[in-house]
Amino acid sequence: MRYWIALCSIVLVVLSCSKSDETPASAYVPIPYQLDIPTLFQEKLIDPIIPINNPLTVEGVALGKRLFFDRILSIDNTKACASCHLPQQAFSDPNQLSVGVSGGLGSRNSMPLFNLAWNFDDKYFWDGHALGLEQQALEPVIDPNELGHSDWSSVEQKLNNHPEYPTLFNQAFGVSTITKELVTKAIAQFERTLISGNSKFDKFLNGEVTLTPQEQNGFDVFMDETRGDCFHCHGNPNNPLWTDNQFHNNGLDASFTDLGLGEVTGNPNDNGKFRSPSLRNLAYTAPYMHDGRFATLDEVIEQYSTGLKASSTIDPLMKKVDQGGVNLSDQDKADLKAFLLTLSDPSFINNPAFLPQ
Amino acid sequence: MKRTILLLILASLSFACHEDPDDNTTPLASIAFNFTHHWDDTLINSTNLQTEIVTNENGEVISMSRIRYLVSRFQLINTSGDVYTFDGYKFTDVSDETTYNFTPEINNIPTGTYTLRFIWGFNEADNMDGAYQDLNTENWSWPANLGGGYHFLQFDGMYNVDTTASSPFNYHNGTARVSDGVFEQNFAVINLDTPILISSDASIEVKMNIAEFFKNPNTWDLNVLDTPLMPNYDAQKMMQENVMSVFTIGEISF
């Protein structure tokens, strides 16, 4: 009996909560946005992270997309997020270093943007210094080498004086004053819709296509601890993100000009560590590594095969460093490359939902 | 969302009704497990995992980068031989203290004296390839051509760090491959004899002595067995033997 009383009161509380939550009938209620999650992700991975205080809505995503492509976010209306995150490059930049508004260069290669809602530690950038996509998006706008504003207030002002944005923000968030928090919320919503899960290898895993013998052998090299041993950091068929999103020193340098994670944590054991990038869409994301030092996949594979450099923080998963690496045969190198390219997803870069109208 | 919460509350309440038999006078206790990690007498946790320099049984000086492992099927067995089995499995990353604790979801047991048993890794029934989303997300799979399923242990580090020729080791344990397409189960049943007196809600400390992986019964020579070990049948079986002495019961706190 006591339980029933308790229950009834819980029910009442819950009901009354939902009552008080309701928005006045006059306000526009944005439509919840349903993420189109690939079946493979649904089966294999835990749910993507969507912050409770920034649920996806149709209006929010559309607004975020518009902002992402809009040069209004730059000081001189010359650059947008998309200037360094090009849809055709899986939202990365073909330039080794990206050019900002003033012509200045950053120090790292732009990162591709996809499957970000599955970055479960929610740490962004090569060194993971931004917590959450909303936080991340605050930076480029006021980075002198990117969109170049000295502070956010002038951007907020531009947007508030714009003929359309105030209405769009009102529809997405129910408020008429545009703030940086809302701008970054909208952009983050759009970014979370950038899902890539339809590569040849995905289709292979779904039983829709077969691999060539070369691609199959390349996959075996990738999964073989005696040869590539790439899977300990870059995923496997059960982790179709093709990254662990963790920080490693993969043996690029003997000493570091860019400390990477070590710069963020202040811990010398983290020096030279960067977040493992996903191996999806490599066909579009050259050049490679945090500093874009390699123009081709052949160079990357050669690096892992014979170019490893020992240092105090090199990951022990990098084997035979004294011999430069595991010295893959020419056949294995070519096959590994063929396999890596099966992880590229043409439907992602051509998805009209991700292209400017 | 609110529906779900309500349902959960409903479910737990009704569960509580069933679990509280009025005629049973033995008080119930709920159990948590707290894993701690040691290199012999030195406590290892996220702060010193990567900085502690230790010497293994065979005399190699080593540094550790990463220790992650899987244990499952926790059972407490009372003095009359009744077995209380806890659902779930425990994935621990020594660099992350939030993974040290394991509180099984449904775990009311009568107070009394118990011993603890659990599985190192997954047993054959549980070790289903790709079946656990959280483990997939941890990048924890064991390659299909080595039998699939999951890693039981990933222990990476460097040895001979006292010389100019330090080398990596990857002490990874999982299903053993006998030959192409032929695999052998490689989990271990860990039986800890130390009696555990449960008088009320308790947290049971389980200690892992990392040094034991290199010690007993097989003195591990990293100069011979460093990497790759995953496809090495003999190495896999030696790991299965050595893990038997890795765990002991620590403190019971109430």
Side-chain angles (χ1 to χ4, degrees):
Chain A
M1 185 56 199
R2 260 180 302 138
Y3 288 123
W4 283 109
I5 294 171
L7 252 181
C8 291
S9 39
I10 288 166
V11 170
L12 282 175
V13 169
V14 173
L15 284 180
S16 53
C17 293
S18 45
K19 269 272 160 51
S20 58
D21 270 0
E22 265 166 34
T23 344
S26 57
Y28 182 85
V29 180
I31 306 155
Y33 181 100
Q34 290 303 323
L35 273 185
D36 190 6
I37 301 177
T39 26
L40 201 60
F41 290 21
Q42 269 169 16
E43 277 169 28
K44 300 294 187 189
L45 300 171
I46 55 180
D47 291 338
I49 32 169
I50 310 291
I52 314 171
N53 66 2
N54 193 19
L56 302 189
T57 64
V58 171
E59 290 78 359
V61 169
L63 172 59
K65 175 178 170 181
R66 178 160 174 181
L67 289 164
F68 188 89
F69 288 101
D70 198 335
R71 298 194 174 90
I72 194 172
L73 292 187
S74 65
I75 180 107
D76 56 1
N77 297 312
T78 59
K79 300 260 172 195
C81 306
S83 307
C84 307
H85 299 283
L86 287 72
Q88 298 74 19
Q89 316 295 144
F91 293 92
S92 68
D93 188 339
N95 297 303
Q96 178 174 9
L97 302 174
S98 307
V99 186
V101 280
S102 54
L105 296 178
S107 58
R108 294 183 185 149
N109 185 226
S110 174
M111 302 175 81
L113 307 178
F114 51 80
N115 302 341
L116 296 170
W118 283 265
N119 178 12
F120 296 102
D121 289 343
D122 224 13
K123 295 178 181 167
Y124 299 91
F125 288 120
W126 284 105
D127 58 14
H129 74 265
L131 278 179
L133 280 174
E134 287 78 359
Q135 279 302 115
Q136 191 287 329
L138 287 173
E139 287 190 32
V141 173
I142 50 170
D143 185 324
N145 290 322
E146 297 193 354
L147 301 176
H149 283 279
S150 52
D151 59 55
W152 264 90
S153 56
S154 49
V155 195
E156 289 169 337
Q157 204 181 346
K158 266 202 278 183
L159 291 168
N160 277 314
N161 292 333
H162 191 271
E164 290 156 36
Y165 275 119
T167 315
L168 297 175
F169 274 87
N170 195 20
Q171 289 174 353
F173 298 108
V175 293
S176 40
T177 310
I178 301 171
T179 61
K180 60 176 192 258
E181 285 78 18
L182 295 180
V183 174
T184 56
K185 275 187 172 179
I187 292 176
Q189 286 191 36
F190 169 61
E191 289 175 315
R192 294 193 175 99
T193 67
L194 301 174
I195 297 174
S196 173
N198 191 29
S199 66
K200 178 174 184 185
F201 201 81
D202 296 306
K203 293 183 187 149
F204 165 69
L205 291 176
N206 290 330
E208 295 160 29
V209 298
T210 51
L211 298 182
T212 66
Q214 215 194 353
E215 291 162 349
Q216 178 65 54
N217 180 52
F219 172 62
D220 293 342
V221 173
F222 185 92
M223 294 297 297
D224 184 347
E225 203 194 9
T226 60
R227 292 188 285 170
D229 192 4
C230 314
F231 69 97
H232 279 113
C233 302
H234 284 296
N236 60 70
N238 292 325
N239 179 353
L241 301 173
W242 299 100
T243 173
D244 62 359
N245 278 316
Q246 300 300 309
F247 299 86
H248 305 273
N249 168 0
N250 65 342
L252 293 178
D253 297 302
S255 60
F256 316 114
T257 46
D258 184 340
L259 296 183
L261 181 65
E263 187 81 46
V264 180
T265 62
N267 180 349
N269 289 310
D270 291 335
N271 286 353
K273 294 186 183 173
F274 294 89
R275 197 164 115 240
S276 315
S278 171
L279 301 185
R280 282 184 179 274
N281 297 316
L282 291 172
Y284 322 118
T285 60
Y288 305 104
M289 303 298 170
H290 69 273
D291 51 7
R293 67 176 66 189
F294 298 127
T296 66
L297 278 181
D298 300 286
E299 288 170 64
V300 172
I301 292 172
E302 199 52 51
Q303 156 68 23
Y304 280 113
S305 182
T306 59
L308 298 181
K309 306 270 190 331
S311 63
S312 59
T313 60
I314 189 170
D315 199 291
L317 289 165
M318 297 289 120
K319 301 176 212 313
K320 304 220 171 132
V321 181
D322 46 337
Q323 294 155 51
V326 288
N327 290 277
L328 295 174
S329 71
D330 286 345
Q331 186 68 55
D332 281 353
K333 282 191 257 188
D335 294 357
L336 178 56
K337 179 178 169 189
F339 159 69
L340 291 176
L341 291 173
T342 68
L343 298 171
S344 290
D345 175 0
S347 72
F348 175 68
I349 59 167
N350 295 314
N351 188 337
F354 305 152
L355 300 173
Q357 262 92 27
Chain B
M1 187 59 196
K2 279 181 188 132
R3 283 256 164 78
T4 336
I5 292 174
L6 177 58
L7 272 176
L8 280 176
I9 295 172
L10 265 171
S12 51
L13 280 179
S14 51
F15 188 83
C17 298
H18 292 305
E19 274 290 279
D20 253 335
D22 294 330
D23 49 1
N24 187 348
T25 47
T26 315
L28 296 179
S30 81
I31 304 299
F33 298 94
N34 171 35
F35 279 63
T36 59
H37 309 89
H38 310 258
W39 184 281
D40 293 328
D41 293 330
T42 308
L43 182 72
I44 304 290
N45 56 28
S46 67
T47 49
N48 66 348
L49 174 69
Q50 301 200 19
T51 49
E52 207 63 38
I53 303 293
V54 294
T55 305
N56 71 7
E57 182 74 0
N58 202 49
E60 282 79 53
V61 181
I62 73 174
S63 65
M64 303 175 270
S65 312
R66 191 181 294 116
I67 300 178
R68 309 195 297 163
Y69 63 92
L70 175 75
V71 287
S72 61
R73 297 230 175 189
F74 285 69
Q75 296 184 321
L76 285 173
I77 302 130
N78 70 14
T79 39
S80 352
D82 300 329
V83 178
Y84 294 83
T85 303
F86 299 97
D87 279 347
Y89 46 85
K90 179 180 194 312
F91 174 80
T92 311
D93 179 343
V94 177
S95 74
D96 179 1
E97 267 83 0
T98 63
T99 66
Y100 290 8
N101 275 300
F102 177 56
T103 307
E105 273 171 42
I106 302 165
N107 71 3
N108 277 347
I109 59 163
T111 51
T113 302
Y114 293 88
T115 56
L116 175 64
R117 173 158 79 203
F118 58 86
I119 303 273
W120 170 249
F122 272 148
N123 69 14
E124 184 165 14
D126 290 342
N127 203 10
M128 293 175 288
D129 196 66
Y132 307 92
Q133 292 175 324
D134 55 337
L135 298 179
N136 296 340
T137 305
E138 290 290 349
N139 220 34
W140 195 236
S141 288
W142 190 254
N145 55 11
L146 297 180
Y150 292 90
H151 281 74
F152 304 162
L153 170 69
Q154 176 182 22
F155 179 11
D156 295 317
M158 306 293 280
Y159 69 98
N160 293 340
V161 294
D162 54 334
T163 72
T164 51
S166 66
S167 299
F169 68 85
N170 307 121
Y171 191 106
H172 294 200
N173 187 209
T175 298
R177 187 189 60 176
V178 181
S179 58
D180 264 357
V182 183
F183 309 110
E184 192 176 301
Q185 292 308 310
N186 208 27
F187 64 91
V189 181
I190 310 292
N191 264 307
L192 303 177
D193 315 328
T194 314
I196 304 166
L197 179 64
I198 304 289
S199 52
S200 62
D201 291 357
S203 174
I204 300 174
E205 184 194 9
V206 181
K207 296 166 102 174
M208 166 188 264
N209 184 358
I210 303 157
E212 286 290 332
F213 281 114
F214 296 117
K215 201 183 272 185
N216 182 20
N218 305 293
T219 303
W220 201 275
D221 185 352
L222 283 170
N223 300 292
V224 181
L225 293 172
D226 52 0
T227 182
L229 302 179
M230 295 171 70
N232 182 332
Y233 175 85
D234 294 332
Q236 287 304 317
K237 292 321 261 189
M238 283 161 65
M239 291 177 192
Q240 187 193 32
E241 290 166 3
N242 281 14
V243 76
M244 299 305 291
S245 55
V246 161
F247 294 100
T248 50
I249 297 292
E251 281 178 23
I252 316 299
S253 29
F254 298 98

